[in-house]
Amino acid sequence: MLALDSVEAGYGQAKVLHGVSLTVEPGEIVVLLGANGAGKTTTLRVISGIIGARGGVTFEGRPLIGMAPNRIVELGLLQVPEGRQLFADMSVEDNLLMGSHSARAKPHRARALEQSYALFPVLKERRTQKAGTLSGGQQQMLAIGRALMAQPRLLLLDEPSLGLAPQLVTAVFEAIRRSNESGMAILLVEQNANQALRFAHRGYVLEGGRVVHRGSASELADDPAVQRAYLGLRAATA
Amino acid sequence: MAARTAFQNLAGRLAIAVGATALSLCAHVAPAAAADPIKVGIVVPLSGAQAGSGELVLRGYRLHIDEVNASGGVAGRKIELFTEDDRADATTSTSAVEKLISQRGVVAILGSYGSAPTTTGSDVSERHKIPYIAAHAGELRLHQRGLRFFFNIHPGGPPRDVALATFFAEVLKPKSVAGLHSNQAWSIEGMKTLATALKEKAGVEIRQDEFPANTPDMSGQLTRIKAGKPDLVSLYGLDSDNATFLRQALELGLNPRHISVLGDVRASKAAAGLNFDTVLMCDDWFVGLPGAENEKYERLYRTKFPKDTPDRFAVKAYAAAQVLVDALKRARSIDGQGVRDALSATDIPTPVGQAKFKEDGQRLGTFVVAQYQKGAPVVVYPESARTSDAQLRNWRGFR
Amino acid sequence: MLSFEVLGQTIVNGIAAASIYMMISLGLALVFGVMRVVNLAQGEFMMLAAFGSFWLFTLYGVDPYLSMVAMIPASLLLGYAVYRLIIRRLLGADDINQFLATFGLALMLQGIAQYLWSADLRRLPYVLPSLEVGDVTLAGVRVVNIGVCLAVLAFLAWFLGWTGIGRSVRATASNRMGAMLCGVDVRRVDATTFLLGTAISAVGGTMLALVYFVYPSVGAGLIFKGFAVVILGGMGSIAGVIVGSLVLGITEAMVNVYVSSQLSALVAFAVIFIVLVSRPQGLFGTAR
């Protein structure tokens, strides 16, 4: 469904990705692990068309490099970005409606709005409130709800658990699992490797802009190198 | 009034350029005169914000000099003009005058537009003992410098202010007067002189108000004036200020019995579309001012520039050129000192009135009060120049 | 002097001035809000529209309220050319480059206007009867200007609040990256916003021609008031522009009548200074 082949990218002179290759198949949850600065967020930005890159990025056989971000969204490839990128001074409902901006999502807007509110009832209660006044967890729900409004076929999630209380993390992952069960493929960037590997099908580990490990979730969880570097690290800082 | 389009402006300039070239060609073709030409310098703004006024001033100078040259010049000698652009700027004017005297060897300078370039330019010519004749410089301090080679067609503010105060006291007899002046030195000085004279002659105080020159908005000042319910408002400002005042007086319903302004209220393009009837105006010259000299001048002007109305910029320059030519004719010798001595004894009629200089070089001028009546200005004061009675009724405003 | 009618008249004068300030500030705030580009040539769009209405009236007798509408498509053409050639390239550029580019454009447009029509001060000789409300006189054209201003504000409220493209404009202003990730074609939003600002300033140009002088550098004088308004109201805030314009217009009128006309010209300076020192995000802005 999504395939990256030897992708190189960076910001100005600073190169961040040095040949990243990975795939996401339909219906899969794939997790991208790695330390800060490994190139996880940059990889997602390349896929969404926010920054340019060299190499191959295809979505269902269509090359994405050079395509404008709004056209990529039209293909059904959505991102819940790091830092959520909400419209802080707009209402919760306006934020959700912006999610169904694309032409392929617009006809299903009313139903999608209902679904989002069903998934996150707290958003319905606060639908006239400004997004910037929500709590961190509610903002994360809104960011996911906004992305789901676009009827994505592949959802890119950048650190959805960052800064959330443990019970909220569980709720967010639950929402992601339910979306996946309805057929949506997911590429997840996460530092919380324990939780992510429990719930993903496959994973990749990035280090210095290169893929250093790959395998099924259970293989990675059992890999001593991954355990040392990420699961241990996580445990030590938790 | 038909608006002049950019094309017409351009066409007009081309026509002047073609005419000037033709004239200079004629001069070359004609057999050499018995004697060398008399060299005269002109400093005027031909670029920058004052270029428009500067071109009219230049037009006035040339109108008379060309006329004199066409009829044989001064004692058989043609007058050769050298023109420099000073952008009405004090510093540029210094070097322009220096160049005309040192490099061209002119025997007299016809001056710039505005008090600032006139001040510096005349300082330079004084040092070289070459006469400088100003046409458009009104500040009092110009004549407080003790210069001996400086002459000014502009009669200065006080005679105007006193004439206006006398007219107010004798004819209008106002009980309550509002004075509105711009923030420029000449305007502040003038309003002060007017107020003192009116207090003396009629015992009436002027409530004064100030605005920034060329302001697009006087609504605050007019709101204040309206609350005082004056029966006379006297405005000291620029042409565009006159237009702004009338327009906003109408908008705000300020309708005093008498409105008095300086200069021709129709002069600004910003006044287009207004009805001026009964507005009183004070100046030393108006279009259609009675008198043989002015009639002759206006006839000449309209023949030469059939599309334009005679204006007060060109006419004062014309008078300055007349005064210079007259002095050249009488001068013992055609050099700085000779021309200077002749100038100080000037006593000739010009379109702006008799030209006669005081000890300090300023012309003794007379001012008149005119009023728009049925779309044209008529002189209503003083008695000696009067062509019609002043209509003492409120300004009617719009058509 | 402190009579009710003087006070009333002064407030009305201030609101009339504010209606013009709003027209230039809305353009500035919209463009800055969405693109983070300060368009120093915004006043020149106003100047050109003012000349357009002036000449249409002077040469062909076209009613200014008709030419106000005619100036909108004309301004859109010019605005689109300026957007394509200049503004689009300034996204994310250094402040200094933005200033130089748009300031250069402003000078160029002024120069063209001066070459074509000279620097003379002109007025559009169009008048409407004044209204008397008690002792307060309402100049006809100023009342209509205030009405036009309200209509523009109503249109803007509808456009931004009730249309999809309006929502995209707000979203892009709020978070450009977020808008891109929602599939918004932000370049189209940029162009739309810039043209909206241009059209509003063009309407303002005709309003200006009805109450002020028309001359090549008229916009340059107004852009400064526009800055005072958007700094007061918070860069990029529409509500801030409305309140900021009213505060500036009425304060200037009050200072003019009750203090000194010389000081009223300094009100805009004082506003900028006080706001920048005490509350840099403006009255309505949130600290970013």
Side-chain angles (χ1 to χ4, degrees):
Chain A
M1 186 179 206
L2 176 74
L4 273 69
D5 183 18
S6 314
V7 170
E8 299 182 2
Y11 305 91
Q13 295 295 325
K15 208 163 168 195
V16 179
L17 302 185
H18 302 275
V20 170
S21 301
L22 60 81
T23 59
V24 179
E25 298 306 326
E28 258 193 325
I29 299 180
V30 175
V31 64
L32 202 50
L33 298 173
N36 273 336
K40 300 175 311 246
T41 297
T42 306
T43 304
L44 295 196
R45 285 192 177 157
V46 167
I47 298 170
S48 288
I50 303 285
I51 60 172
R54 287 214 311 252
V57 180
T58 57
F59 182 62
E60 294 177 326
R62 233 182 287 228
L64 297 187
I65 288 181
M67 196 184 273
N70 57 303
R71 303 242 343 265
I72 294 175
V73 169
E74 289 289 349
L75 299 176
L77 205 167
L78 264 287
Q79 184 182 162
V80 178
E82 185 190 26
R84 298 157 198 144
Q85 310 289 357
L86 293 174
F87 308 119
D89 46 12
M90 290 167 70
S91 71
V92 166
E93 185 150 311
D94 270 348
N95 269 269
L96 290 172
L97 290 174
M98 280 309 297
S100 56
H101 178 86
S102 67
R104 61 182 284 277
K106 216 168 268 178
H108 315 291
R109 179 172 270 178
R111 195 167 44 81
L113 191 62
E114 238 171 73
Q115 284 172 349
S116 292
Y117 283 150
L119 197 58
F120 304 113
V122 65
L123 296 183
K124 187 167 191 178
E125 282 165 35
R126 297 177 182 245
R127 65 176 186 273
T128 58
Q129 202 171 314
K130 291 242 166 92
T133 64
L134 297 179
S135 73
Q138 291 162 350
Q139 290 196 9
Q140 191 62 54
M141 290 175 198
L142 180 56
I144 294 170
R146 186 178 71 179
L148 294 178
M149 288 291 291
Q151 314 274 301
R153 289 186 297 146
L154 171 60
L155 186 64
L156 313 177
L157 284 157
D158 197 348
E159 310 246 12
S161 68
L162 192 71
L164 297 191
Q167 67 271 30
L168 277 172
V169 173
T170 311
V172 163
F173 275 98
E174 185 51 37
I176 294 169
R177 190 199 301 281
R178 273 167 53 192
S179 306
N180 173 249
E181 278 162 5
S182 64
M184 187 187 302
I186 288 166
L187 176 60
L188 172 70
V189 162
E190 193 47 76
Q191 284 202 344
N192 188 346
N194 267 321
Q195 187 137 17
L197 285 175
R198 267 208 302 279
F199 130 114
H201 301 121
R202 286 194 303 119
Y204 295 84
V205 178
L206 281 186
E207 221 175 88
R210 289 186 179 84
V211 174
V212 292
H213 300 286
R214 72 185 68 202
S216 69
S218 54
E219 283 166 14
L220 287 176
D222 294 340
D223 187 321
V226 174
Q227 279 177 343
R228 224 177 10 256
Y230 302 101
L231 302 175
L233 177 89
R234 185 69 207 170
T237 55
Chain B
M1 199 166 71
R4 282 173 55 117
T5 62
F7 175 73
Q8 282 172 313
N9 263 326
L10 186 65
R13 279 175 206 173
L14 280 176
I16 292 172
V18 170
T21 318
L23 270 175
S24 62
L25 280 177
C26 291
H28 282 288
V29 178
D36 290 339
I38 301 171
K39 293 177 178 177
V40 167
I42 295 176
V43 203
V44 277
L46 295 174
S47 58
Q50 307 296 344
S53 311
E55 273 173 33
L56 293 175
V57 173
L58 179 61
R59 185 185 269 193
Y61 289 145
R62 301 192 64 142
L63 200 55
H64 186 63
I65 305 289
D66 289 351
E67 192 186 17
V68 170
N69 280 341
S71 58
V74 176
R77 292 175 70 182
K78 296 264 180 195
I79 297 173
E80 191 178 359
L81 293 176
F82 295 91
T83 305
E84 287 291 325
D85 174 14
D86 71 353
R87 306 204 309 269
D89 169 70
T91 316
T92 317
S93 209
T94 308
S95 48
V97 172
E98 187 71 53
K99 180 180 171 189
L100 286 170
I101 297 173
S102 309
Q103 295 179 23
R104 304 292 188 195
V106 302
V107 296
I109 302 276
L110 291 168
S112 186
Y113 178 78
S115 291
T118 300
T119 304
T120 54
S122 56
D123 280 339
V124 174
S125 64
E126 181 79 12
R127 217 167 48 235
H128 289 282
K129 298 197 181 331
I130 294 292
Y132 185 109
I133 308 173
H136 286 277
E139 273 183 26
L140 288 176
R141 58 185 176 83
L142 281 168
H143 297 279
Q144 294 161 353
R145 298 175 298 165
L147 301 194
R148 295 182 54 253
F149 287 79
F150 178 58
F151 298 88
N152 194 350
I153 296 295
H154 197 300
R160 169 200 63 206
D161 308 325
V162 172
L164 204 48
T166 314
F167 168 72
F168 290 165
E170 288 175 6
V171 183
L172 303 186
K173 303 184 175 70
K175 302 215 161 35
S176 160
V177 185
L180 185 56
H181 61 82
S182 77
N183 57 351
Q184 298 158 296
W186 68 266
S187 183
I188 298 167
E189 282 169 10
M191 184 56 74
K192 203 184 287 172
T193 313
L194 175 75
T196 311
L198 190 63
K199 179 99 208 290
E200 223 167 72
K201 290 174 195 295
V204 180
E205 298 273 0
I206 297 184
R207 274 192 317 280
Q208 296 183 27
D209 230 309
E210 186 170 297
F211 60 87
N214 271 333
T215 183
D217 186 22
M218 292 183 191
S219 49
Q221 290 83 345
L222 300 198
T223 299
R224 216 161 23 196
I225 289 174
K226 189 185 170 194
K229 298 185 171 57
D231 47 22
L232 165 64
V233 179
S234 176
L235 177 70
Y236 272 46
L238 304 175
D239 289 346
S240 66
D241 298 328
N242 292 343
T244 301
F245 172 81
L246 290 182
R247 169 78 86 96
Q248 293 201 316
L250 283 170
E251 287 185 352
L252 294 171
L254 167 65
N255 193 4
R257 190 157 169 76
H258 310 296
I259 292 173
S260 154
V261 304
L262 300 186
D264 191 335
V265 66
R266 197 171 51 185
S268 167
K269 286 196 169 116
L274 288 167
N275 174 348
F276 308 111
D277 275 7
T278 76
V279 173
L280 297 157
M281 308 173 291
C282 184
D283 208 343
D284 58 352
W285 179 86
F286 287 97
V287 177
L289 186 75
E293 274 302 312
N294 189 48
E295 279 157 25
K296 187 178 139 233
Y297 165 76
E298 288 191 13
R299 217 167 29 243
L300 176 69
Y301 192 94
R302 288 180 202 273
T303 318
K304 203 88 187 236
F305 310 104
K307 276 183 184 165
D308 298 349
T309 310
D311 61 87
R312 67 196 151 110
F313 300 106
V315 72
K316 290 194 175 80
Y318 183 88
Q322 276 184 308
V323 164
L324 174 63
V325 169
D326 167 68
L328 289 174
K329 283 178 182 158
R330 290 184 290 103
R332 282 177 287 105
S333 53
I334 302 294
D335 54 26
Q337 189 65 48
V339 178
R340 186 251 158 226
D341 292 343
L343 277 168
S344 68
T346 298
D347 193 0
I348 57 163
T350 75
V352 296
Q354 194 69 15
K356 199 169 178 173
F357 294 107
K358 290 188 288 179
E359 196 66 11
D360 62 8
Q362 189 155 40
R363 185 173 72 91
L364 283 160
T366 49
F367 280 82
V368 299
V369 178
Q371 183 177 44
Y372 261 95
Q373 293 183 3
K374 298 201 179 79
V378 295
V379 176
V380 296
Y381 184 87
E383 205 59 36
S384 52
R386 196 164 62 99
T387 53
S388 178
D389 280 339
Q391 292 179 355
L392 304 183
R393 59 176 172 77
N394 286 38
W395 177 45
R396 285 297 188 267
F398 298 106
R399 295 177 267 237
Chain C
M1 284 300 286
L2 278 158
S3 67
F4 172 75
E5 58 264 36
V6 172
L7 180 66
Q9 185 79 61
T10 304
I11 290 173
V12 171
N13 294 346
I15 294 173
S19 70
I20 304 266
Y21 296 166
M22 261 181 237
M23 295 296 115
I24 192 161
S25 319
L26 284 174
L28 276 179
L30 281 168
V31 173
F32 180 79
V34 170
M35 280 180 271
R36 304 281 135 179
V37 169
V38 175
N39 178 21
L40 293 172
Q42 198 74 34
E44 276 57 45
F45 294 145
M46 223 159 164
M47 176 272 290
L48 290 174
F51 265 114
S53 291
F54 173 83
W55 286 119
L56 282 175
F57 182 83
T58 308
L59 299 178
Y60 307 109
V62 178
D63 188 284
Y65 291 106
L66 200 64
S67 64
M68 182 181 275
V69 178
M71 282 304 124
I72 294 175
S75 73
L76 293 182
L77 284 178
L78 176 73
Y80 190 66
V82 167
Y83 173 75
R84 291 292 300 210
L85 293 173
I86 301 172
I87 305 297
R88 201 169 57 127
R89 295 160 206 271
L90 296 177
L91 276 171
D94 286 350
D95 286 353
I96 188 78
N97 289 342
Q98 291 185 7
F99 279 139
L100 288 177
T102 59
F103 186 58
L105 174 66
L107 289 182
M108 193 182 82
L109 294 176
Q110 282 177 39
I112 292 172
Q114 182 152 351
Y115 176 77
L116 291 176
W117 305 309
S118 84
D120 288 334
L121 302 179
R122 303 164 195 268
R123 264 180 194 277
L124 202 162
Y126 181 88
V127 283
L128 294 171
S130 296
L131 310 176
E132 298 280 342
V133 180
D135 285 313
V136 178
T137 307
L138 305 175
V141 287
R142 281 166 203 257
V143 173
V144 178
N145 271 0
I146 294 170
V148 169
C149 177
L150 290 174
V152 167
L153 290 177
F155 169 80
L156 203 58
W158 168 79
F159 178 82
L160 291 176
W162 300 91
T163 68
I165 176 79
R167 188 161 49 224
S168 302
V169 169
R170 279 188 293 142
T172 308
S174 175
N175 188 329
R176 194 175 179 86
M177 164 91 82
M180 281 159 86
L181 292 172
C182 284
V184 174
D185 184 349
V186 288
R187 297 223 300 219
R188 230 181 94 202
V189 168
D190 288 346
T192 306
T193 310
F194 189 77
L195 291 182
L196 183 65
T198 311
I200 292 174
S201 293
V203 168
T206 307
M207 289 166 60
L208 183 76
L210 286 165
V211 296
Y212 270 50
F213 294 132
V214 181
Y215 57 101
S217 57
V218 65
L222 266 175
I223 193 103
F224 183 72
K225 309 278 182 143
F227 281 137
V229 166
V230 294
I231 288 172
L232 181 62
M235 297 296 282
S237 157
I238 303 296
V241 163
I242 298 169
V243 176
S245 299
L246 289 169
V247 168
L248 182 65
I250 294 175
T251 309
E252 280 184 340
M254 291 283 194
V255 170
N256 193 343
V257 171
Y258 294 111
V259 187
S260 147
S261 62
Q262 298 292 292
L263 286 181
S264 92
L266 297 178
V267 169
F269 279 105
V271 160
I272 289 176
F273 181 76
I274 293 169
V275 171
L276 290 182
V277 166
S278 65
R279 195 180 153 83
Q281 69 271 35
L283 294 180
F284 285 74
T286 44
R288 281 179 200 275

